[in-house]
Amino acid sequence: MSVDRRALLLSAIGVSLGFAQDDPASVRPKPGDLLTKVGDAGKTPLTPNDIPLAAGYTAAWAMDPADNTVRSGSRLNQVLLLRFDPASLATTTREHAADGVVAYTSICTHNGCDIDQWLAKEQQLFCSCHESIFDPRDGGKVLDGPAPRALPALPLAIADGALVVAKPFTTPVGYERG
Amino acid sequence: MRRLIFAAWLCAIVMGLPAEALREGGQAPAPPPPPPRVPAEASREGGPMPAVLRAYAAVDADRLAHPADGDWLMVRRTYDGWGYSPLDRITPANVARLQPVWSFSTGVTNGHEAPPIVNNGVMFVATPGNQVIAINAKTGAILWRYKRPLPEDVVLLHATSRGVGLYRDKVYFAAGEAVLVALNARTGEEVWTTKVAENKAGYYMSVAPLVADGKVIVGASGGEMGIRGFVAAFDADSGKEVWRTYTVPAPGEPGSETWPNGDQWKTGGGPVWVTGTYDPETRLTFWGTGNGGPWMGDQRPGDNLYTSSTIALDVATGAMKGHFQYHPNDSWDWDEVSPPILVDYQRNGRTIKGLIDLARDGYMWFLERTSGPINFVEGRPYVKQNVFMSLDPKTGRPNVDPARQPGTGREAEFCPSHWGGKNWPPVAFSPKTRMVYVPANENLCTAMIGRPVTYTAGRGFTGMTNNLMIAPGADHIGEVQAWNVDTGARVWTHPFAGSTNWGPILTTGGGLVFSGGTQDRLFRAFDAATGDVLWEFPTNSGIIGQPSSFSIDGKQYIAVQSGWGIDSRTMQARLNRVRPGDFPEVPEGGAIWVFAIK
């Protein structure tokens, strides 16, 4: 690769990264964002009552309340919403919950697979790729498997009856990529 | 594309070598400048090019087809996939004196599966994390290091590399995000990169490229996410795509009648994640294919060609000249990605130009290769197998017990487990003993149940839940098996009572078999004839890397990466939940080890 070509490529990548960082669909969820179910073409804002109590997760995207831009441009933005009796939540988790609804990244902190199963009996999240298990009632902490750290949580609040993002992810969304 | 080249020696851990050996090139008198193959800014930092790189021996087609005894130029050393080195200085008589010569920390965790590839004293090792390291094979001194940053949101369910390919003065590496990279072998500088497939749609790569006929040939993983598998060839000089053959046919193509249900072929799976073998005589290259997507056969009616198959492709055009499907309409996650090895064997008084595959479905398949079609010869289980009630004697098509085939909402228990009697770790074949050596997992079964699943690009598309089980009464799991290919009889078995086995196998002209694979971190030498363990050595981590052997100045070396992870780690964790405490965690972190007789 010649110098000029590399410079050109690096410049193109810079442009592309800059675009990704500014793209409202790709930026991480922001405080004030609404939440909408993955695959909901109607972009309906979710409320606590839309999330079944202690019965699995609802996959969702954050949505800019100004223009209903769904932040689905990066798979790292997807979250899992779960609802529990607030009394059953660990203290910090309760602080991040809204009406018992908690939100975590759907991306396993191990190798970045999508967390894809709900262990109903144990009330735990399970990633079938490499068998990591997480506790959604206690900060998404790792209960078993190779995941090196807890799932980043997305603190929630209620605004006009709808679930909204209260704060950015508690820790960076990401994973070991080898 | 960013590329990082470090000429530092930060990670070298060399035992018993003088400090000078670590500073190769740095202290020597200024050598003549290297030939102007790359722009000046691309050369190594930190001083003149080491002599071993200045003298780098370009690889040509003849050297690939007929490698010198002391070289290991491709993933299984030779096109036939034998994993056999003719070197014979290390023998059953002296292997007890095998000792480490040097080791080298890779700086990354996760599963280290690539072999140390050695060309005339220069070693190239691929690791997880999109890294290729060039090392002086004799001293352990680092020559250059290439690291390619993975995208932040890369889809990479198996973060490993199974090795690099060599041709002329280039090193070929399949990056995780489904980009093929050509590096300058002397400097580690990127020469070209070619996007192979769309990573956001679930295509990722872990395969070692096959170099044949002036082409670099790869396939992509991603069967868990509803990809459409393929094998693709790229011009070795330019990176331009020459051909691409899908493992799932489009409507109207041969085999499309086995996908009668609408557009299911578009997400039909058949991934490719292990390097194919190649027959220079017929110019056919043989590749194993993964299972269909989604995983439950009842969700994709038909035989689903060419999933769970071996396909024979014309190396010049990619045209499919033959195929053999090990089992139709897979419902067990039995990816059959290991390619068959090319071995001519005796049957009923005649020599068969053969293909042999130890399949994930638990059967050892003896096939016949021709200039086109692949013929069935015989098949037999090599581990407990309760799914196939019989094989059609002419075609080899299995007669499946419906009670052992899981479906949507219908749980079934079956053996071997969904990881198979053998997973990706390759077998080895010795022409001296006429035996094929097999890293097997016996006594494991799975209970699986399917559920409906909707396709979303880049997301899970398996549609199932499973539980791993140990067969009642089992006294071991992991095994190394040895089978005589001419008689079809098992000669010896070495069981591992407390461990699974994920160890690729090397066999040598010295009459030895080398392999790791177990949770105790041991690297072992077996007597190839008897299976007796003659030597063992505890490494830093568990070994799932492919061992290789090479020689320098007449001295034979054995090399391997140690670095537990990925499926070996997952299976261990699941077994430890089945029998808590019996399958403890294995320390992670990668290292390259090189051994010799002292």
Side-chain angles (χ1 to χ4, degrees):
Chain A
M1 184 188 294
S2 74
V3 178
D4 289 345
R5 180 135 184 269
R6 179 184 298 109
L8 200 66
L9 267 176
L10 284 173
S11 144
I13 286 161
V15 169
S16 132
L17 284 175
F19 176 75
Q21 282 159 5
D22 297 338
D23 175 11
S26 295
V27 297
R28 297 281 171 274
K30 292 180 175 178
D33 280 356
L34 296 162
L35 291 152
T36 186
K37 198 171 174 178
V38 170
D40 178 7
K43 304 184 182 182
T44 313
L46 289 164
T47 70
N49 287 336
D50 294 324
I51 313 302
L53 184 66
Y57 60 79
T58 302
W61 300 110
M63 180 168 69
D64 187 334
D67 58 3
N68 280 6
T69 296
V70 176
R71 303 200 197 282
S72 58
S74 168
R75 61 186 288 264
L76 302 190
N77 284 352
Q78 191 170 120
V79 293
L80 304 177
L81 302 175
L82 306 100
R83 190 176 177 202
F84 300 102
D85 175 354
S88 72
L89 300 176
T91 307
T92 309
T93 304
R94 199 180 310 138
E95 289 167 3
H96 292 159
D99 249 1
V101 179
V102 293
Y104 295 96
T105 177
S106 66
I107 305 295
C108 176
T109 52
H110 178 223
N111 279 172
C113 296
D114 295 291
I115 291 163
D116 59 351
Q117 290 189 33
W118 169 247
L119 306 181
K121 186 177 153 198
E122 299 87 353
Q123 300 275 291
Q124 293 161 355
L125 290 167
F126 180 75
C127 178
S128 68
C129 267
H130 304 111
E131 315 285 324
S132 289
I133 299 177
F134 303 91
D135 186 351
R137 290 177 295 179
D138 189 5
K141 79 174 182 187
V142 182
L143 296 172
D144 200 358
R149 62 187 175 97
L151 295 175
L154 188 65
L156 300 179
I158 308 281
D160 297 330
L163 290 165
V164 296
V165 175
K167 293 178 185 172
F169 278 114
T170 51
T171 55
V173 178
Y175 47 96
E176 293 179 346
R177 288 168 292 173
Chain B
M1 294 301 159
R2 285 184 60 198
R3 59 104 182 92
L4 301 175
I5 299 176
F6 299 112
W9 296 268
L10 296 175
C11 293
I13 305 167
V14 179
M15 286 172 287
L17 285 171
E20 286 76 9
L22 292 173
R23 295 194 296 272
E24 180 170 344
Q27 303 296 309
R37 291 172 180 277
V38 291
E41 87 288 351
S43 58
R44 300 164 54 258
E45 299 165 20
M49 183 176 281
V52 71
L53 285 178
R54 288 204 311 276
Y56 185 75
V59 174
D60 59 20
D62 185 60
R63 290 186 64 207
L64 289 175
H66 308 288
D69 287 358
D71 281 336
W72 193 284
L73 301 180
M74 67 178 78
V75 62
R76 298 302 289 151
R77 188 173 176 275
T78 44
Y79 281 132
D80 47 31
W82 287 3
Y84 170 77
S85 167
L87 296 174
D88 57 5
R89 294 288 181 92
I90 304 173
T91 67
N94 64 19
V95 71
R97 292 189 284 120
L98 201 61
Q99 294 180 30
V101 178
W102 56 263
S103 73
F104 185 105
S105 171
T106 65
V108 291
T109 57
N110 231 324
H112 288 59
E113 301 184 347
I117 301 272
V118 180
N119 175 20
N120 196 32
V122 180
M123 176 184 288
F124 301 98
V125 183
T127 78
N130 270 4
Q131 178 175 236
V132 181
I133 309 170
I135 300 172
N136 182 319
K138 184 175 181 179
T139 66
I142 187 168
L143 300 171
W144 51 255
R145 181 195 297 262
Y146 169 81
K147 283 193 92 163
R148 179 186 173 83
L150 282 156
E152 181 195 47
D153 58 351
V154 65
V155 178
L156 185 57
L157 273 50
H158 294 81
T160 190
S161 167
R162 299 191 172 90
V164 298
L166 303 182
Y167 192 53
R168 295 185 176 147
D169 59 354
K170 295 188 185 68
V171 177
Y172 301 95
F173 172 66
E177 69 273 31
V179 172
L180 183 59
V181 177
L183 302 174
N184 182 310
R186 291 184 176 86
T187 65
E189 171 77 357
E190 276 182 3
V191 181
W192 52 255
T193 62
T194 297
K195 179 176 173 177
V196 174
E198 178 55 60
N199 180 245
K200 288 185 188 306
Y203 293 86
Y204 60 97
M205 295 205 296
S206 55
V207 68
L210 172 71
V211 178
D213 195 40
K215 302 176 186 67
V216 186
I217 309 174
V218 296
S221 306
E224 316 91 330
M225 292 173 288
I227 66 157
R228 183 184 175 210
F230 61 83
V231 179
F234 301 83
D235 181 84
D237 288 331
S238 67
K240 189 178 170 192
E241 183 170 325
V242 182
W243 52 257
R244 180 176 301 234
T245 301
Y246 286 95
T247 59
V248 177
E253 294 177 349
S256 58
E257 68 282 1
T258 66
W259 293 88
N261 208 356
D263 283 344
Q264 288 195 320
W265 59 276
K266 292 180 177 176
T267 54
V272 169
W273 32 278
V274 177
T275 311
T277 47
Y278 176 56
D279 184 350
E281 193 177 309
T282 57
R283 296 172 59 76
L284 293 179
T285 180
F286 299 89
W287 293 73
T289 67
N291 58 324
W295 281 9
M296 288 300 101
D298 63 5
Q299 293 181 27
R300 43 175 167 73
D303 280 3
N304 308 140
L305 290 173
Y306 300 91
T307 63
S308 295
S309 300
T310 281
I311 54 176
L313 306 178
D314 183 326
V315 74
T317 64
M320 196 181 298
K321 300 290 189 182
H323 75 277
F324 179 79
Q325 187 173 47
Y326 297 105
H327 53 272
N329 191 241
D330 178 273
S331 300
W332 307 271
D333 186 25
W334 286 336
D335 286 279
E336 299 299 3
V337 290
S338 287
I341 61 172
L342 279 57
V343 177
D344 297 348
Y345 55 85
Q346 301 295 311
R347 274 300 180 281
N348 305 321
R350 77 177 177 109
T351 300
I352 294 177
K353 292 177 76 67
L355 299 170
I356 298 175
D357 186 43
L358 279 292
R360 198 152 142 176
D361 63 22
Y363 267 56
M364 176 165 48
W365 299 91
F366 287 86
L367 308 172
E368 182 179 32
R369 68 187 196 275
T370 70
S371 59
I374 299 171
N375 301 321
F376 170 72
V377 176
E378 66 181 41
R380 63 183 67 190
Y382 64 95
V383 291
K384 282 190 181 65
Q385 217 277 14
N386 62 10
V387 176
F388 301 169
M389 297 187 292
S390 61
L391 301 183
D392 182 289
K394 284 190 177 161
T395 66
R397 183 185 177 94
N399 180 20
V400 169
D401 181 349
R404 300 290 180 187
Q405 181 162 12
T408 308
R410 188 181 74 244
E411 183 174 87
E413 294 181 8
F414 57 86
C415 318
S417 80
H418 63 290
W419 271 297
K422 183 189 81 64
N423 201 273
W424 80 272
V427 301
F429 170 74
S430 168
K432 286 194 168 175
T433 64
R434 301 291 299 163
M435 291 183 214
V436 61
Y437 301 98
V438 184
N441 282 311
E442 175 63 287
N443 291 318
L444 290 181
C445 307
T446 290
M448 191 180 283
I449 183 169
R451 55 182 160 78
V453 61
T454 304
Y455 174 76
T456 304
R459 292 185 59 86
F461 191 55
T462 60
M464 64 84 223
T465 304
N466 64 61
N467 278 307
L468 184 65
M469 303 178 297
I470 301 173
D475 62 356
H476 73 283
I477 295 173
E479 292 179 345
V480 176
Q481 305 177 357
W483 296 76
N484 183 298
V485 299
D486 298 316
T487 64
R490 189 192 297 227
V491 182
W492 57 261
T493 302
H494 181 90
F496 297 113
S499 180
T500 58
N501 183 11
W502 283 83
I505 292 187
L506 159 72
T507 183
T508 68
L512 293 166
V513 166
F514 290 91
S515 192
T518 47
Q519 287 145 224
D520 53 18
R521 311 182 348 251
L522 291 173
F523 189 44
R524 296 179 179 80
F526 301 87
D527 185 313
T530 65
D532 293 340
V533 176
L534 303 176
W535 171 86
E536 57 188 24
F537 180 87
T539 63
N540 55 301
S541 181
I543 294 175
I544 58 173
Q546 301 171 72
S548 63
S549 186
F550 61 94
S551 69
I552 298 173
D553 301 332
K555 184 168 188 160
Q556 183 181 0
Y557 297 85
I558 305 292
V560 72
Q561 289 204 87
S562 177
W564 193 250
I566 313 184
D567 289 82
S568 63
R569 168 70 177 83
T570 307
M571 182 185 271
Q572 168 267 318
R574 292 188 72 162
L575 288 171
N576 205 39
R577 286 207 293 281
V578 175
R579 288 205 325 226
D582 283 357
F583 299 90
E585 201 166 288
V586 179
E588 290 194 42
I592 306 159
W593 290 86
V594 171
F595 301 89
I597 302 291
K598 282 198 173 174

